[in-house]
Amino acid sequence: MAALLLLPLLLLPLLLLKLRLWPQLRWLAADLAFTVRALRCKRALRARALAAAAADPEGPEGGCSLAWRLAQMARQRPAHTFLIHGAQRFSYAEAERQSNRAARAFLRARGWDGGPGGGDSGAGAAGEGERAVHGVRDAAAGSGAARPVREGDGATPLAPGATVALLLPACPEFLWLWFGLAKAGLRAAFVPTALRRGPLLHCLRSCGARALVLAPEFLESLEPDLPALRAMGLHLWAAGSETHPAGITDFLAEASAEVDGPVPGYLSAPQNIMDTCLYIFTSGTTGLPKAARISHLKVLQCQGFYQLCGAHQEDVIYLALPLYHMSGSLLGIVGCLGIGATVVLKSKFSAGQFWEDCQQHGVTVFQYIGELCRYLVNQPPNKAEHGHKVRLVVGSGLRPDTWERFVRRFGPLQVLETYGLTEGNVATFNYTGQRGAVGRASWLYKGSQFGTPRGSVWPHLQPGDVFFNTGDLLVCDDQGFLRFHDRTGDTFRWKGENVATTEVAEALEALDFLQEVNVYGVTVPGHEGRAGMAALVLRPPHSLDLVQLYVHVSENLPPYARPRFLRLQESLATTETFKQQKVRMAKEGFDPSTLSDPLYILDQAGGAYLPLTPARYSALLAGGLRI
């Protein structure tokens, strides 16, 4: 009888295989665990938001999500270290006090004096639907005597909800000013620190900035831009006490003169959670940076990022990403704030210093982007890389080959690859640790339609439907894993076929003498489509082996995908968030008279890569050289 009862259970796996359900169901436990974690995270964030809505509007926990979460942590874990930057350490209580001083200085630029019945009478929070504020009581503010408003170089007082741009490196002052702006009911705009001249002015105009706070070390390079900045009528502040040009005042000095008591929550509370909270600019890989509008809802959701990743409040998170991008600011800082953990903030990533930092500060979580993990595996062996406490690395853009090398060398640790966009409305988590995947499309939760290598798979759209085009191609395999295939703008056509740059790059990176590869398409006169070109960086101490390279691409890539041109470089051009510069490289082309790097061309007839000399270049343009 028992055997008869066991028979259906024994036959069940065969039935599932027959129905092709087993590849999905084998991950059922992991899918269930992540779904439960996501539901708990959603419930916790909702409870926090409802508590803030019901809080005293005069108190600090009645403001926007950043304001009330920082106030909560300052009350619940006042002495716990929030931020480590070099030799500096700041507790949650100190972070609250520093941001309160910054908020009061910004409020004075609004015309708010914090006195009984005084202050402005404009709208409180930054947002599309801003409400009127009726008077300000001194009880919650505790501000003391009012000081005169400083209006900058001919600039008018800041209006409630005005945008203030921050041009600052990753440092504690960036956080205090950002949190202070949120508490003051003003919108922050995070400007990439490398921008100058036209791109800088474009960013400030596109977000409607009414003020700019800049780092003193940027003043010299910004000097040619100052007349245009003054002509825009901006408040101009520097975040430091160095000597400043006329019309630029020291914001930190103004903030230090303020008291550090909490500011009323109603000043920052949004009327609608979809109102704009801040602006973050795209990296500008395909043109000028674009301002992405970040809502209060998205900031709230980012508080749950590290909870979804499985981190907890005793973790120490290593963050060496620019704060002017979402990965650094919203996922790194706000995510850390969401779980009440500690963040080690680095102004600049150093692969040589990384493991020493991890040992010194007891780092348990590392947040990466782009090529940071590749930089680490390419470093020579270091004694500090052994015996560390790092258990979890979280981020995006980790290629499968680097993934394997990273875990083999520095493990045991968990890699949690994610996918998302600053301006996007979807995010995925590879919570199973499946190498090369960016997430899952489990039947347990709502799925989205993703692009495939042969085109996009769309649901049945109805008139009036709206969809978000990510510009990315993701592949869903038979087990439900999502894998990044390519950017639609990076994929190019050659010989009537689509060439995926990531596929070609992964094939080339399998060669032991190549350390980094950037693949893109270039226009060749007299040819349709774009020919493949690969920028290569050698792995020391190797030299370029053109014979082995040709044999390798011939064996591993179809004829249309084999790079027609090679460009040997000392290092690859990247953005400040370590994304490869494909558009710029494609524009530079392959003319040996304008490029100093060694160039090579694929000789189809001879079956080899040859130096691209001016003579061969001319023959190619004349149609005498076949590629």
Side-chain angles (χ1 to χ4, degrees):
M1 187 66 180
L4 291 175
L5 292 174
L6 287 173
L7 185 61
L9 294 176
L10 294 173
L11 293 176
L12 181 60
L14 295 175
L15 178 62
L16 294 175
L17 286 173
K18 178 83 173 173
L19 297 175
R20 297 183 179 180
L21 294 177
W22 177 247
Q24 287 276 350
L25 290 179
R26 64 175 292 199
W27 301 102
L28 179 60
D31 292 342
L32 280 171
F34 184 79
T35 301
V36 170
R37 186 189 300 169
L39 290 173
R40 287 176 176 172
C41 180
K42 182 178 180 180
R43 189 180 301 117
L45 293 179
R46 179 176 175 80
R48 291 181 193 174
L50 291 174
D56 180 6
E58 293 285 350
E61 295 187 23
C64 68
S65 62
L66 269 180
W68 54 250
R69 182 56 181 170
L70 185 56
Q72 275 184 348
M73 295 312 303
R75 174 171 50 82
Q76 296 172 4
R77 313 191 79 194
H80 187 77
T81 300
F82 165 55
L83 176 68
I84 299 173
H85 183 260
Q88 297 176 291
R89 301 176 76 93
F90 301 91
S91 67
Y92 274 98
E94 179 63 16
E96 170 75 350
R97 291 192 294 268
Q98 292 281 5
S99 59
N100 285 342
R101 291 190 182 100
R104 291 178 177 281
F106 283 124
L107 283 167
R108 295 199 182 280
R110 275 183 50 176
W112 183 84
D113 66 9
D120 60 43
S121 58
E128 283 71 25
E130 291 155 343
R131 57 186 177 180
V133 176
H134 305 289
V136 179
R137 285 195 292 271
D138 193 46
S143 68
R147 282 178 291 278
V149 178
R150 297 185 180 181
E151 297 184 6
D153 186 25
T156 57
L158 295 176
T163 300
V164 177
L166 301 181
L167 187 62
L168 301 170
C171 60
E173 291 74 22
F174 188 111
L175 302 187
W176 315 150
L177 270 59
W178 169 22
F179 298 163
L181 285 168
K183 293 180 177 185
L186 298 168
R187 298 171 180 167
F190 300 160
V191 181
T193 55
L195 297 186
R196 299 294 184 271
R197 315 302 179 261
L200 171 62
L201 300 178
H202 162 80
C203 286
L204 296 175
R205 292 189 182 107
S206 65
C207 68
R210 301 307 309 152
L212 172 65
V213 186
L214 52 91
E217 58 265 34
F218 298 155
L219 277 170
E220 183 178 354
S221 62
L222 283 168
E223 189 172 352
D225 296 317
L226 291 180
L229 295 174
R230 293 189 179 102
M232 292 173 65
L234 298 177
H235 289 253
L236 296 177
W237 284 296
S241 57
E242 286 81 353
T243 303
H244 307 134
I248 300 181
T249 56
D250 181 2
F251 183 84
L252 297 185
E254 295 182 14
S256 65
E258 299 288 344
V259 297
D260 60 13
V263 298
Y266 67 79
L267 290 169
S268 64
Q271 182 176 357
N272 190 311
I273 200 167
M274 295 305 296
D275 288 348
T276 302
C277 180
L278 55 92
Y279 295 98
I280 293 180
F281 291 89
T282 60
S283 57
T285 53
T286 57
L288 289 172
K290 302 166 186 65
R293 186 186 71 85
I294 307 299
S295 68
H296 286 272
L297 174 62
K298 189 156 191 171
V299 174
L300 175 63
Q301 290 171 333
C302 288
Q303 288 188 23
F305 174 71
Y306 268 114
Q307 183 179 344
L308 287 174
C309 294
H312 50 74
Q313 63 180 10
E314 299 307 321
D315 274 317
V316 178
I317 301 167
Y318 193 91
L319 184 64
L321 305 177
L323 294 181
Y324 54 75
H325 273 297
M326 179 178 173
S327 295
S329 54
L330 296 187
L331 300 185
I333 298 298
V334 176
C336 174
L337 192 62
I339 59 173
T342 299
V343 61
V344 178
L345 180 64
K346 299 290 288 185
S347 296
K348 188 176 182 181
F349 178 76
S350 169
Q353 186 65 32
F354 175 78
W355 291 111
E356 284 84 353
D357 287 343
C358 290
Q359 295 277 10
Q360 178 183 353
H361 301 297
V363 171
T364 57
V365 179
F366 167 45
Q367 186 179 337
Y368 65 85
I369 192 173
E371 300 295 293
L372 296 191
C373 294
R374 182 181 297 276
Y375 297 158
L376 289 172
V377 297
N378 287 333
Q379 286 288 302
N382 185 330
K383 285 192 290 186
E385 70 187 51
H386 303 290
H388 60 80
K389 297 180 180 179
V390 178
R391 63 175 180 83
L392 174 66
V393 294
V394 180
S396 58
L398 183 58
R399 292 185 178 180
D401 62 316
T402 304
W403 188 321
E404 184 177 3
R405 292 170 60 200
F406 189 90
V407 173
R408 185 171 63 246
R409 177 172 171 180
F410 305 124
L413 46 75
Q414 178 190 357
V415 176
L416 203 161
E417 176 82 356
T418 65
Y419 169 82
L421 300 92
T422 303
E423 67 276 31
N425 59 355
V426 64
T428 63
F429 291 75
N430 179 7
Y431 46 83
T432 66
Q434 183 79 355
R435 184 168 66 90
V438 300
R440 281 186 50 72
S442 172
W443 55 272
L444 282 176
Y445 41 83
K446 293 181 180 179
S448 302
Q449 300 296 330
F450 294 94
T452 69
R454 299 187 179 276
S456 297
V457 180
W458 298 103
H460 297 290
L461 295 176
Q462 302 296 325
D465 285 347
V466 178
F467 65 90
F468 182 85
N469 183 5
T470 67
D472 293 330
L473 295 176
L474 300 186
V475 178
C476 186
D477 64 20
D478 61 349
Q479 298 185 59
F481 286 103
L482 299 170
R483 301 178 187 274
F484 180 83
H485 185 71
D486 209 1
R487 289 282 299 169
T488 53
D490 293 342
T491 298
F492 57 88
R493 288 184 67 81
W494 179 251
K495 304 294 185 183
E497 299 283 353
N498 290 331
V499 180
T501 60
T502 52
E503 179 183 348
V504 179
E506 287 178 11
L508 292 172
E509 286 166 352
L511 291 164
D512 59 3
F513 57 84
L514 294 182
Q515 180 165 292
E516 294 182 87
V517 178
N518 183 10
V519 178
Y520 48 94
V522 291
T523 301
V524 182
H527 294 73
E528 293 185 3
R530 289 187 289 162
M533 186 166 183
L536 311 175
V537 175
L538 295 175
R539 186 188 309 279
H542 296 279
S543 58
L544 181 62
D545 188 336
L546 290 172
V547 174
Q548 184 182 352
L549 192 151
Y550 176 79
V551 171
H552 181 78
V553 298
S554 299
E555 292 176 350
N556 292 277
L557 291 172
Y560 62 84
R562 297 167 190 167
R564 265 50 183 178
F565 303 98
L566 305 176
R567 179 176 176 178
L568 195 60
Q569 294 190 293
E570 293 291 329
S571 61
L572 295 184
T574 61
T575 68
E576 290 195 359
T577 50
F578 311 102
K579 295 179 181 178
Q580 293 180 343
Q581 287 276 17
K582 295 181 183 288
V583 174
R584 194 185 89 187
M585 297 290 287
K587 288 181 179 178
E588 291 178 358
F590 52 91
D591 186 349
S593 66
T594 60
L595 297 175
S596 59
D597 296 326
L599 300 172
Y600 304 90
I601 188 170
L602 176 62
D603 180 7
Q604 294 271 53
Y609 282 103
L610 305 175
L612 181 54
T613 61
R616 289 194 176 101
Y617 179 77
S618 299
L620 173 63
L621 298 187
L625 185 61
R626 176 174 162 267
I627 60 169

